[in-house]
Amino acid sequence: MASQWLFCRNKPDTCTKYGYTFEAGPQHLSKDETANMKMEFDRLGEIALNRLNVLCPPQASTRQSFEASKNLAADGVQQSASPQPLKRDLYLLLRDHASQDEVLGQLWAESNVIPSWVCWEQIERGQDVFYRYGGPALTGLAFQSLLGGMGATRVVETLTRTGGFSTKVARHRLLETTQHILQCTRDLRSIQPGGAGHASSIRVRLLHAAVRQRIVKLAQEKPGYYDVQSLGYPINDLDCVATIGAFSATLIWLSLPRQGIWLRRKEIEDYIALFRYVAYLTGTPHEYFESPERAKVVMETLLRDEINPSATSRILASNVLNSLEGQPPTFASRSFLEANCRWLNGNELCDDLGLGRPSLYHWMLMAGQVFFFMAICYTYRSIPILDRRKIAASRRIMWSVIVEDKQGLGQETVFDFKYIPNLSKTTKAEKGPCSLPDRGGIEQRNLRAFLLGCIGMLGITWIAMRCVMAWHGRTSGVMVSENPSPCPSSAGSSQTVAVSVILETVLGSTGPSINTLSAAVDARCFAFCAGSIVVLSDIHSLGQRFFYAKPDALPAHLTPSYYNPATPTKATGSRALANTPTKDDSLLSLATFDSNVDHPGKGKVSHRSRSVTSVALSPSGKYLAIGEVGYHPRILVFSTATSASPDIPVACLTEHTFGVQAIAFSSDSKWLCSVGDLHDGGLFLWSINPKTGALKLNSSNRCTTADTIAWMGATVITVGTRHVKVWRFEPPSSPAKCRRTLDTVSDLSNASPVPRTFAGRNVLLGELRDAVFTCAVAIAEDAAVLCTQDGAVCLLDDAHRSQRICQIAKRDHSITCATLDPSSRVVWLAGKGMEPEALPLDFFFAARAPSATSEQHKDLHLPGEQRKKQFSFSAICYADNRLVCADTSHGMSIYEVISCPGQAPEASAFHQLLAHNSAVIGVVVSSGRTVKDFDFLTYSAKGNILYWSWDGSCTGACSVPLDASLALEGDNSNELRVVRHLPTINMLLTGDRTGIIRLLDTSGLVEVAVRGHDGEVYNLTVHVIDDDQSLSASCGRDRTVQIFRVSKNECSLEQSLINEHAGPIRQVEFTNGGSILVSMSSDRTLVIHQRVTRTDDSIAFVSTRTIHLKASPTSMTLIPDAPSSLLLSTLDRCFRKISLEGNTTQTFKESVILSRLTVGILHPGRTTVLAAFSSADGSIRLYDIESGSLLALFHGQTAVSDLGFVQVSGTSGMIKTRLVSTGASDGTIMLWDLTIPPQDATKHLGGNGFSNTDPSKPKPPSSTRLVRRVLSKAEIASFQRSLKEKSDNRNSLSKNLSPSRLRRKASRHAISGGSEGPESGACSKNHSPEMPGQDGVHGDRPKRASPPLSPRVSLQSRTRRSSLDERDRHTATKYADNIDGTARKVSNMLQDFRTVMARSQRSLSINSAQALKRQLQATMDAIVTLERQSDRTRDQMGCESFDDYLATMIDQRLAIQSRKGDPSNSTSGSYNPYASTG
């Protein structure tokens, strides 16, 4: 059993006792120490027992009269009707007389005072540990702690004299001991003072004193009855320590490991702490259990020195097994019980105890039981929600079976002194009671478990062997090679680097809402929401701290949920419905859902980040509360102390169901109130423990129309649409009551008291009944200022609970937010189109005068000049002479309050934090080719572009004019979609939803605008040719790739690639020095285009290869050190490394779909990493590009739109790398530091406003026609001849540039059923030449030119016919390419068929033989015909190659058309209606 000592060399101090091996050292107890403990006992308990005996003498005749009445009833004698004497309860006597006696008072005080080392949360976790392993724990307690403990000679001498282990009462004695354990672990309230476990522990302490006192008294009467000198006092300190150790340490390090279960370190600490407190209550020296290490040492000492079975030990062990044989609830046989003992204690100890040896069948049953326990315990503890349910069910079932069931105890025992030692009583060997009929006990269950376990182990072994064989030589199962040819893996040689990801700066905030901004006046800081993160910023230095808790993060203090418990019970539900009728059933029906799983129907992602929509700072600045949105949200309370962790909350509140609308702290930071959104409707009030930060639910109610909340003294105000309501609660009045309330906040029991009803009363609005109230701010203990959407300023007067509201002023603009400035005694107001304006408090207090009426003030306008602003404010807060305003464009402005004597204070603009006013679409990192004024830029859907430096400071801004004259599907608004920077000329290239491509400078001045696509532009890519010009390729929804030549003031169309894909083209990229263009489409294809150049420097891109994929691609990126390879992510949750030849070299499997791929280099070491984000869980991931291993996973925005790497040189010369992530929905930008050296947390954000550049154009770009330039066959042929003149490229390009590939590709690459690409991932190549008789060309006779058609009809008709011809030729080419392989297959099949016929004894049927002859003859005729046609074709061509023949034929046709004056040979225009003709 001591597996850890199998391969260890024994040392002089190595000790082995009954199968357990350990190293004996000075930390173990010596024999002198144990001898002293034998002579010590609980003297206070014995003195208190004597006082209780004086107060209420024990009824000596009670037991005798009870036995006599039982015997009379057995003889049929009628009993008298006189009442039996009541059994005395020592606990009740001690409680009732503790104040009357000094000794009793001392014992009562000692039992009820909580030691300083007690942590109730740890105690409760220890209780859960017992029920988490309930089955194996009870097995270990019964068959090792009890039966194995019978080997202690001294202990059994005491037990045998009580008579409590005879076969008639041994089972009842075991159930009483189990009841004590269940009472101590039932719930936290049970073990606390006044609980059932606490009371039973005191009863056991007094019972031990009574037994000790009785045996010592009898030993004095008869010296040979019990030898105190050699055995020590009965139930001494050593015996009590051994008992507690048997319940805790023996279970942890002997019983459970021998059943295949090992506890985690945290569980061991919690379980030992629980029984240390039980030892304290029972009068046992508890210092031996102050740590798991010391408890283990005590267990080893007792095992070494105390376990030495005697004849009495054999008697008691046999009686225990006899009393359990065939008894409920297990109905186990004697052999199976002995198998349990031998499995747990070993054969050596069981032989000394005289137990029988079970058969092999019972050993198999025991193995099945171990399999069953391991499967249940490990499965349930790995799933939190199942673990909680199992613990609750185990509590209920164990208590019902052992205590309440009639086959158990039947009722709770009070541990009265009924097993009284006397001189004539001793325990002898007896037969057990009659076995009850077997009702399907555990033996049948264990047999089934054994068979299933064997089958499972065989299956797991088989699967493991197959996995090892399949993944041999791979990198830990991360990389899967799909290349059929063997290639060496680089993962084995590369080492995974540790990447430190630190969030440095957050730009922008989530809004607009009044609840997304909060400030603490005393702490001089403010907090705002940014995606799933809350930023805490200093009001002066603007240094930022970030708070974020993962969905599975555990808080420091667990707060039980009353309305959404983890394991709901009927009692909880009935209490909630009976006592809180205002909370409907919808809140209770959500109890079984986990907070980590999103709403059913939207998929289950265990770690989906939630958006934070409400934040609140306590006035003292000590706590920060965060409210989430979505299904089953959380309220997270963090400590803002510098030593506190920013990712571990102090408390986590889960009472809300559908979203948190607003949260607020009281003015004394002792209460927290929250209100849910319209679908949630919950209003909750929590009390806060100022020492620990733990929260406890105090009150609750329903409120469905509140938009925000505010505290007004000891009351809460909720305001919203036609809604103002005042909520009142009664805080604890006396200090003692308040102290008790705060001390019991950490009570985590499910039996917590029902939350009180949060009483509320609506305010009569009168003339304001149709107003929409936007904000509320308290100006006194019984007064508050309310503002409305139409500009009304109102005063809520709650003097004497009158709840009177009146309008005292009117503003022309909408007021959305307000805050109190206590230093200047003003209320600051802000809203749409207005800067912060101050209103003195005296103005409001004057309105409270009895002589003032609402008619005198409702038409007054606010004093001061009305200053307009270009954007509106949604939230405002005050801290340390500063105003922080959040605007609707996701930015913030900081104002300095300037006070002038005798005048109202004014707000002067001090600092502005810019952000985008809509969703941020992407980020563009500027390259280092030219001198630049920014490190990266970001752009939003509304056309705003902001330029940033690497530290997050804004260096400039511009706006792209978006043309909205074209009607769009589903939405008439135009949006900016893509921006690219041209570094050599310092220009920007943009594309929008209408297909307009603009060339503009960095100030926003548009130089060129052309309508390049008939729909949304998906992507742009740029390749720099020289310092003056660049190549740009764009793709869009119209399945077209447009290639432009871009210079300083010109953007000319070079070529249009149409019908290359069957679906929208999502991305294009230049690679291999701009010589190759790769286009990616959602039709699961990649098309490789080769750049060709003529002597006049004109360029064109021709399709050379189509790569078919297994799933639709989502993103692709280039690898800096491997220009001939691509990284591609697909919808099947993989990202692949693909070469330009079409070979998939590596495939990396992920658990989510990666939406964007970006490659960057980390320093030092120049480690190439891949950055990607997933829309499923909002995570950002970093991968090693060589091995594909995940380096880092972190969350920022709830929905990421783009990523970019920024590299700058630091002050020390070391290159720093930062990752920029943009938010698709929350409008934020986050800068992540990917270097290990720490960065300065203080960031100063600043910049200019948006540029109002408005270039005047005579005609909008959307009104121009769509540009196209499709190369004709003649132009392609001229490019081909120029390629053949280059001898250095002849060998490499002649094979790839065949005439069949010079044609414009149709959609056959994606929808053709005969392609092998989708199955194998390889590329498809066309090598078959076009036959002379196809496409209307017969010999040398030219085809007559078609009559002129309209451009639209010509393009459609020519394209469709060309696509059909291409599809037919593709089918013929496929069979032509495969005819040789098919011939070889048929030949092999015929050879095999002849072999079968030669060996077969059966004859071939006549019909089959004739059919075979016909097919063979037809095949021979077809082969002869094919040979003749091949000879005739070779003679007719008479050219060196088919390429030369086709070029000659095209030149002849062009010459004929030119002589007839046909204009189709002109190629100078940008639009050619005959471009598709041959």
Side-chain angles (χ1 to χ4, degrees):
M1 293 297 177
S3 59
Q4 69 271 24
W5 295 96
L6 289 177
F7 305 99
C8 295
R9 180 178 300 176
N10 290 337
K11 298 179 181 180
D13 295 333
T14 301
C15 180
T16 301
K17 190 69 174 290
Y18 293 120
Y20 182 80
T21 304
F22 62 94
E23 287 288 343
Q27 69 274 13
H28 291 76
L29 300 179
S30 63
K31 293 185 178 181
D32 293 338
E33 292 176 334
T34 56
N36 294 333
M37 293 177 65
K38 296 176 186 177
M39 306 307 295
E40 296 294 334
F41 55 88
D42 181 21
R43 300 184 184 275
L44 177 61
E46 189 162 347
I47 297 174
L49 178 65
N50 294 331
R51 300 295 178 89
L52 293 176
N53 290 336
V54 173
L55 294 174
C56 181
Q59 299 293 333
S61 60
T62 301
R63 182 68 179 175
Q64 299 175 358
S65 60
F66 174 76
E67 295 178 354
S69 62
K70 184 172 63 174
N71 296 331
L72 291 176
D75 296 338
V77 180
Q78 186 177 3
Q79 303 181 29
S80 62
S82 60
Q84 295 292 335
L86 297 177
K87 301 178 182 179
R88 66 170 184 169
D89 191 336
L90 297 178
Y91 173 77
L92 298 179
L93 290 175
L94 176 65
R95 183 194 63 183
D96 297 339
H97 298 84
S99 60
Q100 304 173 8
D101 187 270
E102 181 180 359
V103 176
L104 298 180
Q106 181 181 355
L107 178 60
W108 180 256
E110 179 182 322
S111 303
N112 286 271
V113 172
I114 307 302
S116 60
W117 44 265
V118 171
C119 177
W120 292 123
E121 298 177 6
Q122 189 178 31
I123 296 295
E124 186 183 33
R125 292 195 301 267
Q127 294 174 331
D128 293 342
V129 170
F130 177 79
Y131 291 101
R132 182 176 294 122
Y133 310 101
L138 289 179
T139 303
L141 291 175
F143 297 103
Q144 186 163 37
S145 298
L146 176 63
L147 272 168
M150 294 299 177
T153 304
R154 295 185 311 97
V155 175
V156 298
E157 293 299 329
T158 302
L159 296 178
T160 188
R161 284 162 175 78
T162 61
F165 279 92
S166 63
T167 55
K168 297 180 181 179
V169 296
R171 180 175 177 271
H172 193 272
R173 181 76 176 271
L174 295 180
L175 294 179
E176 288 181 339
T177 305
T178 309
Q179 175 194 318
H180 178 222
I181 298 176
L182 296 182
Q183 286 177 331
C184 292
T185 58
R186 191 172 187 183
D187 52 44
L188 187 60
R189 185 176 296 277
S190 177
I191 196 65
Q192 289 178 339
H198 183 269
S200 64
S201 298
I202 298 177
R203 292 189 182 103
V204 169
R205 181 176 183 176
L206 297 175
L207 176 62
H208 288 171
V211 173
R212 183 189 311 111
Q213 192 179 66
R214 177 66 177 174
I215 294 178
V216 172
K217 182 179 180 181
L218 294 177
Q220 293 175 354
E221 296 177 2
K222 185 179 180 181
Y225 177 74
Y226 184 87
D227 189 358
V228 177
Q229 295 299 327
S230 61
L231 300 178
Y233 282 100
I235 315 181
N236 50 54
D237 285 352
L238 186 62
D239 296 340
C240 294
V241 169
T243 302
I244 298 297
F247 289 161
S248 57
T250 304
L251 195 68
I252 294 173
W253 286 288
L254 287 178
S255 302
L256 294 180
R258 291 179 179 181
Q259 298 179 77
I261 297 172
W262 282 265
L263 272 63
R264 294 168 287 198
R265 174 67 183 183
K266 190 66 174 178
E267 293 176 328
I268 295 175
E269 294 176 353
D270 299 339
Y271 194 70
I272 292 295
L274 167 65
F275 276 92
R276 183 188 181 187
Y277 184 58
V278 174
Y280 171 80
L281 295 178
T282 56
T284 303
H286 60 84
E287 61 271 9
Y288 295 101
F289 302 94
E290 62 183 4
S291 66
E293 290 75 15
R294 192 167 185 186
K296 185 177 181 182
V297 165
V298 172
M299 178 202 72
E300 294 171 348
T301 303
L302 296 174
L303 179 64
R304 179 192 63 186
D305 300 336
E306 295 296 320
I307 303 300
N308 188 17
S310 62
T312 306
S313 301
R314 300 185 186 96
I315 294 175
L316 296 186
S318 178
N319 288 349
V320 171
L321 292 183
N322 291 335
S323 66
L324 296 178
E325 180 183 356
Q327 297 299 314
T330 60
F331 300 98
S333 63
R334 173 64 180 256
S335 297
F336 180 70
L337 297 177
E338 292 173 344
N340 278 271
C341 295
R342 290 188 174 272
W343 188 284
L344 295 177
N345 298 283
N347 290 326
E348 183 181 0
L349 179 59
C350 291
D351 289 341
D352 292 344
L353 291 174
L355 303 182
R357 287 184 173 270
S359 62
L360 179 61
Y361 171 75
H362 293 93
W363 282 104
M364 293 169 55
L365 296 182
M366 191 61 200
Q369 177 173 288
V370 171
F371 287 157
F372 177 78
F373 284 156
M374 291 175 62
I376 292 296
C377 294
Y378 285 124
T379 300
Y380 277 82
R381 88 174 186 181
S382 60
I383 305 175
I385 187 172
L386 295 181
D387 183 51
R388 293 191 292 268
R389 292 181 179 179
K390 178 180 180 295
I391 291 173
S394 299
R395 280 193 172 100
R396 183 176 63 256
I397 294 174
M398 288 184 183
W399 183 263
S400 175
V401 172
I402 295 176
V403 179
E404 297 177 350
D405 193 85
K406 64 180 181 179
Q407 294 180 348
L409 289 175
Q411 61 181 357
E412 292 187 42
T413 181
V414 294
F415 300 98
D416 54 327
F417 192 22
K418 55 186 176 182
Y419 305 110
I420 305 175
N422 55 55
L423 296 176
S424 61
K425 179 182 294 185
T426 183
T427 303
K428 300 179 181 180
E430 301 174 355
K431 293 184 179 180
C434 298
S435 301
L436 298 179
D438 190 357
R439 303 179 183 178
I442 61 172
E443 296 189 20
Q444 298 180 6
R445 182 206 68 185
N446 293 345
L447 179 61
R448 292 191 295 266
F450 175 76
L451 297 177
L452 292 177
C454 293
I455 296 173
M457 290 182 64
L458 291 176
I460 293 174
T461 304
W462 181 81
I463 293 174
M465 293 179 62
R466 293 296 301 270
C467 292
V468 170
M469 295 173 61
W471 297 91
H472 181 66
R474 308 287 196 258
T475 306
S476 301
V478 177
M479 185 182 68
V480 183
S481 177
E482 291 187 355
N483 191 5
S485 60
C487 59
S489 175
S490 60
S493 59
S494 62
Q495 296 182 356
T496 302
V497 296
V499 179
S500 176
V501 182
I502 301 175
L503 181 58
E504 284 291 328
T505 306
V506 172
L507 308 174
S509 63
T510 303
S513 173
I514 190 176
N515 304 313
T516 58
L517 181 66
S518 180
V521 179
D522 299 337
R524 300 180 179 180
C525 58
F526 64 96
F528 60 92
C529 304
S532 59
I533 295 176
V534 169
V535 183
L536 183 64
S537 181
D538 186 82
I539 195 66
H540 296 287
S541 63
L542 300 182
Q544 294 182 347
R545 294 177 58 195
F546 312 99
F547 294 86
Y548 167 75
K550 295 181 179 180
D552 57 347
L554 293 178
H557 301 282
L558 294 177
T559 304
S561 175
Y562 178 78
Y563 294 101
N564 294 325
T567 54
T569 60
K570 295 182 179 180
T572 302
S574 61
R575 287 200 311 267
L577 294 176
N579 295 281
T580 56
T582 56
K583 192 72 177 179
D584 63 357
D585 299 343
S586 63
L587 292 176
L588 298 173
S589 62
L590 306 171
T592 59
F593 288 94
D594 190 2
S595 62
N596 296 341
V597 180
D598 206 353
H599 191 280
K602 296 184 178 180
K604 294 183 178 180
V605 178
S606 59
H607 295 285
R608 177 181 288 114
S609 59
R610 302 288 185 91
S611 178
V612 178
T613 55
S614 56
V615 63
L617 265 174
S618 62
S620 61
K622 184 178 179 180
Y623 299 111
L624 173 67
I626 298 172
E628 294 180 339
V629 72
Y631 185 79
H632 206 73
R634 301 175 299 172
I635 297 179
L636 304 172
V637 181
F638 291 89
S639 173
T640 59
T642 55
S643 59
S645 175
D647 54 358
I648 299 179
V650 176
C652 179
L653 312 176
T654 59
E655 298 292 348
H656 289 280
T657 307
F658 292 105
V660 181
Q661 179 70 22
I663 47 183
F665 285 94
S666 62
S667 57
D668 56 359
S669 301
K670 294 182 178 179
W671 301 90
L672 176 67
C673 185
S674 67
V675 63
D677 60 8
L678 177 63
H679 303 284
D680 181 86
L683 180 69
F684 301 99
L685 179 68
W686 284 275
S687 60
I688 305 175
N689 190 330
K691 296 181 180 179
T692 62
L695 282 83
K696 180 181 179 181
L697 182 62
N698 180 276
S699 307
S700 64
N701 210 321
R702 296 277 296 177
C703 182
T704 59
T705 57
D707 294 333
T708 185
I709 56 178
W711 283 84
M712 183 177 64
T715 60
V716 177
I717 307 173
T718 59
V719 298
T721 303
R722 297 187 295 274
H723 166 81
V724 177
K725 197 168 185 177
V726 179
W727 306 84
R728 307 181 190 277
F729 73 100
E730 297 297 334
S733 56
S734 63
K737 184 177 180 180
C738 181
R739 189 178 302 110
R740 287 196 301 269
T741 302
L742 295 177
D743 290 340
T744 57
V745 166
S746 59
D747 183 5
L748 305 180
S749 170
N750 288 333
S752 58
V754 180
R756 292 177 292 182
T757 301
F758 202 173
R761 179 184 174 191
N762 289 313
V763 176
L764 299 179
L765 301 180
E767 297 180 357
L768 300 172
R769 58 184 175 273
D770 295 330
V772 178
F773 293 90
T774 58
C775 59
V777 56
I779 59 175
E781 293 291 330
D782 55 356
V785 176
L786 310 182
C787 301
T788 65
Q789 195 175 24
D790 57 357
V793 180
C794 308
L795 176 65
L796 176 62
D797 188 2
D798 195 36
H800 308 291
R801 296 191 175 186
S802 59
Q803 297 188 186
R804 183 174 62 91
I805 188 174
C806 61
Q807 177 180 336
I808 61 174
K810 182 70 175 177
R811 188 68 169 86
D812 295 336
H813 296 275
S814 175
I815 303 176
T816 58
C817 51
T819 186
L820 177 65
D821 181 358
S823 60
S824 302
R825 292 184 54 80
V826 296
V827 175
W828 291 96
L829 308 176
K832 295 182 179 180
M834 60 176 291
E835 289 188 350
E837 297 183 2
L839 192 62
L841 292 181
D842 297 338
F843 182 75
F844 297 101
F845 293 146
R848 300 185 64 185
S851 58
T853 59
S854 60
E855 288 77 7
Q856 296 175 344
H857 297 280
K858 66 179 181 179
D859 295 330
L860 294 179
H861 288 264
L862 295 182
E865 181 184 359
Q866 298 179 5
R867 296 174 293 178
K868 295 185 178 180
K869 195 172 180 61
Q870 64 180 11
F871 43 76
S872 303
F873 291 119
S874 59
I876 187 174
C877 62
Y878 173 84
D880 196 25
N881 206 34
R882 296 283 193 275
L883 287 177
V884 181
C885 303
D887 53 50
T888 56
S889 62
H890 303 281
M892 284 184 291
S893 300
I894 300 178
Y895 291 85
E896 182 179 7
V897 178
I898 302 176
S899 301
C900 299
Q903 299 180 3
E906 295 182 358
S908 175
F910 175 72
H911 200 80
Q912 186 174 356
L913 308 178
L914 288 182
H916 290 283
N917 58 358
S918 59
V920 185
I921 300 300
V923 56
V924 179
V925 179
S926 178
S927 62
R929 294 179 61 93
T930 59
V931 179
K932 58 186 183 302
D933 296 331
F934 62 94
D935 292 306
F936 66 94
L937 64 87
T938 56
Y939 53 94
S940 64
K942 293 185 178 180
N944 297 321
I945 300 177
L946 295 180
Y947 303 100
W948 308 90
S949 62
W950 69 275
D951 60 350
S953 59
C954 185
T955 61
C958 70
S959 297
V960 178
L962 299 178
D963 188 7
S965 59
L966 287 181
L968 300 175
E969 297 181 4
D971 188 6
N972 294 327
S973 61
N974 189 12
E975 294 181 355
L976 183 64
R977 283 307 183 191
V978 60
V979 174
R980 292 294 178 263
H981 181 237
L982 305 174
T984 55
I985 58 177
N986 200 20
M987 301 285 286
L988 300 179
L989 200 63
T990 67
D992 58 20
R993 289 187 63 188
T994 60
I996 306 300
I997 297 177
R998 296 176 176 85
L999 178 65
L1000 65 159
D1001 58 10
T1002 55
S1003 64
L1005 180 62
V1006 178
E1007 300 290 345
V1008 179
V1010 59
R1011 188 183 176 196
H1013 294 272
D1014 189 15
E1016 182 177 347
V1017 180
Y1018 284 151
N1019 187 252
L1020 285 170
T1021 184
V1022 176
H1023 168 67
V1024 177
I1025 299 178
D1026 51 34
D1027 294 341
D1028 297 329
Q1029 58 180 350
S1030 302
L1031 275 182
S1032 175
S1034 64
C1035 61
R1037 186 179 179 184
D1038 58 354
R1039 301 181 297 173
T1040 303
V1041 177
Q1042 299 279 60
I1043 301 174
F1044 297 91
R1045 188 187 296 268
V1046 183
S1047 59
K1048 186 69 174 178
N1049 299 317
E1050 183 181 1
C1051 182
S1052 60
L1053 179 64
E1054 291 290 325
Q1055 186 183 2
S1056 299
L1057 301 175
I1058 62 176
N1059 295 328
E1060 298 285 347
H1061 296 275
I1065 304 175
R1066 294 292 179 179
Q1067 192 173 351
V1068 288
E1069 292 291 345
F1070 285 111
T1071 184
N1072 203 8
S1075 61
I1076 294 178
L1077 178 67
V1078 184
S1079 59
M1080 181 192 77
S1081 174
S1082 57
D1083 62 355
R1084 301 187 299 178
T1085 59
L1086 296 178
V1087 178
I1088 310 299
H1089 305 82
Q1090 177 74 40
R1091 186 178 75 176
V1092 292
T1093 308
R1094 291 192 301 192
T1095 55
D1096 57 351
D1097 292 338
S1098 59
I1099 62 175
F1101 285 85
V1102 293
S1103 174
T1104 60
R1105 183 173 289 103
T1106 299
I1107 303 174
H1108 298 271
L1109 305 172
K1110 293 183 178 180
S1112 297
T1114 58
S1115 176
M1116 70 175 176
T1117 186
L1118 305 177
I1119 304 176
D1121 298 334
S1124 61
S1125 298
L1126 297 172
L1127 278 176
L1128 193 76
S1129 62
T1130 54
L1131 288 179
D1132 58 351
R1133 298 182 179 89
C1134 295
F1135 62 96
R1136 296 175 169 85
K1137 188 180 294 185
I1138 301 177
S1139 64
L1140 296 182
E1141 288 76 18
N1143 298 323
T1144 302
T1145 58
Q1146 292 176 342
T1147 297
F1148 307 101
K1149 186 68 177 177
E1150 253 297 350
S1151 59
V1152 294
I1153 299 174
L1154 302 180
S1155 304
R1156 182 73 166 87
L1157 302 181
T1158 305
V1159 174
I1161 299 177
L1162 300 185
H1163 294 273
R1166 293 188 57 83
T1167 302
T1168 305
V1169 296
L1170 173 68
F1173 69 85
S1174 172
S1175 301
D1177 58 355
S1179 63
I1180 303 175
R1181 301 162 184 252
L1182 295 180
Y1183 298 91
D1184 186 358
I1185 203 170
E1186 295 295 335
S1187 63
S1189 58
L1190 182 64
L1191 302 179
L1193 188 149
F1194 48 96
H1195 294 78
Q1197 293 96 342
T1198 53
V1200 184
S1201 60
D1202 200 2
L1203 299 172
F1205 286 95
V1206 180
Q1207 294 184 352
V1208 293
S1209 298
T1211 56
S1212 60
M1214 183 177 58
I1215 298 178
K1216 300 180 181 180
T1217 303
R1218 287 193 173 182
L1219 181 67
V1220 182
S1221 62
T1222 57
S1225 59
D1226 49 30
T1228 58
I1229 304 168
M1230 296 186 181
L1231 275 65
W1232 307 83
D1233 189 3
L1234 304 184
T1235 55
I1236 298 178
Q1239 301 290 338
D1240 185 9
T1242 305
K1243 302 299 177 185
H1244 295 277
L1245 307 180
N1248 303 322
F1250 287 110
S1251 175
N1252 293 325
T1253 304
D1254 187 14
S1256 60
K1257 296 292 180 179
K1259 183 185 292 186
S1262 58
S1263 61
T1264 60
R1265 61 183 177 87
L1266 189 65
V1267 294
R1268 287 288 187 270
R1269 189 171 188 271
V1270 182
L1271 298 183
S1272 63
K1273 290 185 178 181
E1275 293 176 309
I1276 296 177
S1278 63
F1279 283 111
Q1280 177 194 358
R1281 286 192 295 273
S1282 64
L1283 283 174
K1284 288 185 176 297
E1285 294 175 358
K1286 300 179 180 180
S1287 59
D1288 54 345
N1289 295 332
R1290 179 179 303 172
N1291 296 330
S1292 61
L1293 295 178
S1294 60
K1295 184 182 296 184
N1296 295 332
L1297 296 178
S1298 61
S1300 62
R1301 267 177 264 109
L1302 292 177
R1303 303 179 61 87
R1304 289 178 291 105
K1305 300 296 179 184
S1307 60
R1308 59 181 175 82
H1309 299 292
I1311 62 177
S1312 176
S1315 176
E1316 299 178 0
E1319 298 297 332
S1320 61
C1323 64
S1324 61
K1325 301 180 181 180
N1326 299 327
H1327 297 284
S1328 236
E1330 183 179 330
M1331 300 305 295
Q1334 295 178 354
D1335 200 16
V1337 180
H1338 301 279
D1340 297 335
R1341 184 178 63 184
K1343 182 179 177 181
R1344 181 175 300 176
S1346 301
L1349 300 175
S1350 64
R1352 184 181 185 89
V1353 175
S1354 175
L1355 277 175
Q1356 293 179 353
S1357 61
R1358 298 294 182 180
T1359 301
R1360 184 177 298 110
R1361 187 180 67 179
S1362 176
S1363 177
L1364 293 175
D1365 295 340
E1366 288 284 351
R1367 190 176 295 111
D1368 296 338
R1369 283 192 294 274
H1370 174 69
T1371 304
T1373 300
K1374 182 189 70 172
Y1375 289 110
D1377 291 340
N1378 297 334
I1379 191 169
D1380 292 337
T1382 306
R1384 287 192 295 270
K1385 293 180 181 179
V1386 173
S1387 178
N1388 295 334
M1389 292 174 59
L1390 291 175
Q1391 184 178 359
D1392 296 339
F1393 181 68
R1394 289 196 304 272
T1395 304
V1396 172
M1397 286 193 302
R1399 297 178 179 178
S1400 178
Q1401 298 180 358
R1402 300 179 58 184
S1403 60
L1404 192 65
S1405 63
I1406 299 176
N1407 295 334
S1408 300
Q1410 292 179 355
L1412 183 60
K1413 290 181 181 179
R1414 288 194 299 268
Q1415 293 297 330
L1416 291 175
Q1417 185 62 38
T1419 304
M1420 290 298 300
D1421 296 340
I1423 292 174
V1424 173
T1425 304
L1426 182 61
E1427 290 178 349
R1428 293 175 181 175
Q1429 291 179 354
S1430 300
D1431 296 339
R1432 189 183 306 110
T1433 302
R1434 286 194 295 267
D1435 296 338
Q1436 180 182 1
M1437 291 178 62
C1439 299
E1440 294 181 358
S1441 64
F1442 182 76
D1443 296 342
D1444 296 336
Y1445 170 77
L1446 181 59
T1448 304
M1449 181 184 64
I1450 293 176
D1451 291 341
Q1452 291 176 359
R1453 294 181 59 192
L1454 291 176
I1456 294 174
Q1457 294 178 357
S1458 177
R1459 287 195 297 270
K1460 293 182 178 181
D1462 191 88
S1464 62
N1465 58 347
S1466 176
T1467 61
S1468 59
S1470 61
Y1471 176 78
N1472 186 1
Y1474 300 96
S1476 61
T1477 61

